[in-house]
Amino acid sequence: MENIFLIGSSGHAKVLIDIVEREGRYRIAGLLDSFKTPGDSTLGYTVLGGVDDLPGLAQQYAVDGLLIAIGDNYVRVQMAERLEQLCPQLPLVTAIHPAAVIGRNVSLGSGSVVMAGAVLNPCCRVGRLCIMNTRASLDHDSVLGDGASLAPGAVTGGGALIGAETAVGAGAVVLHRVEIGAHSVIGAGAVVTRNIPAGVVAYGCPAKVVRQRERGERYL
């Protein structure tokens, strides 16, 4: 069994720890978190140091891969770039809860996470560093762009396109063949009936654009 580090130690890390343990493909050697004190722990796993300590700690603990436990889409993507600079030889691994449903001809990019009860129906394409949260559903032939996320209970119809780093809020519904541009945020409970451009915040039923947003603007 390969050793991995989790990058992050907060609430999202708790969910990923549970998935990794249940899946049984990897052994968590420890956590790295630059905002926590070494020696702190999450669910019994110790914070060994900060991200800048990765090269030395990876060698010390014979680590074979990394999993980023950061919920914010932009921050997760930026962290992946930082990790690539520090240790380009360490791949980002995926984590799939045993209670998730993965259909035929589904592709899942490196560093992506699929949580309990999530459904990826046939011929979906999920990019790198994505989050399919608890009971989220991506219907057939849909695309979730790099760094994008579906929050708990969010669902799409078939052939939907969610742009890179876009966040679809809890319980939101994206109808079939609807496209949402990159770096947008769809509010919780929204019903998206028509295309949404890049770089906006939209919510409501039906969802309407309420303002522009900058890439990296906090939304969680």
Side-chain angles (χ1 to χ4, degrees), residues 100-176:
V101 178
I102 310 295
R104 293 182 58 187
N105 297 329
V106 168
S107 64
L108 186 67
S110 61
S112 289
V113 175
V114 184
M115 296 185 183
V119 178
L120 293 171
N121 273 323
C123 302
C124 286
R125 181 161 55 86
V126 176
R128 299 177 67 250
L129 299 162
C130 292
I131 298 175
M132 286 286 298
N133 228 302
T134 309
R135 298 183 67 186
S137 177
L138 195 66
D139 209 354
H140 64 89
D141 301 294
S142 292
V143 175
L144 193 63
D146 290 347
S149 61
L150 297 185
V155 301
T156 79
L161 173 60
I162 311 298
E165 296 178 33
T166 282
V168 179
V173 176
V174 180
L175 297 190
H176 62 287

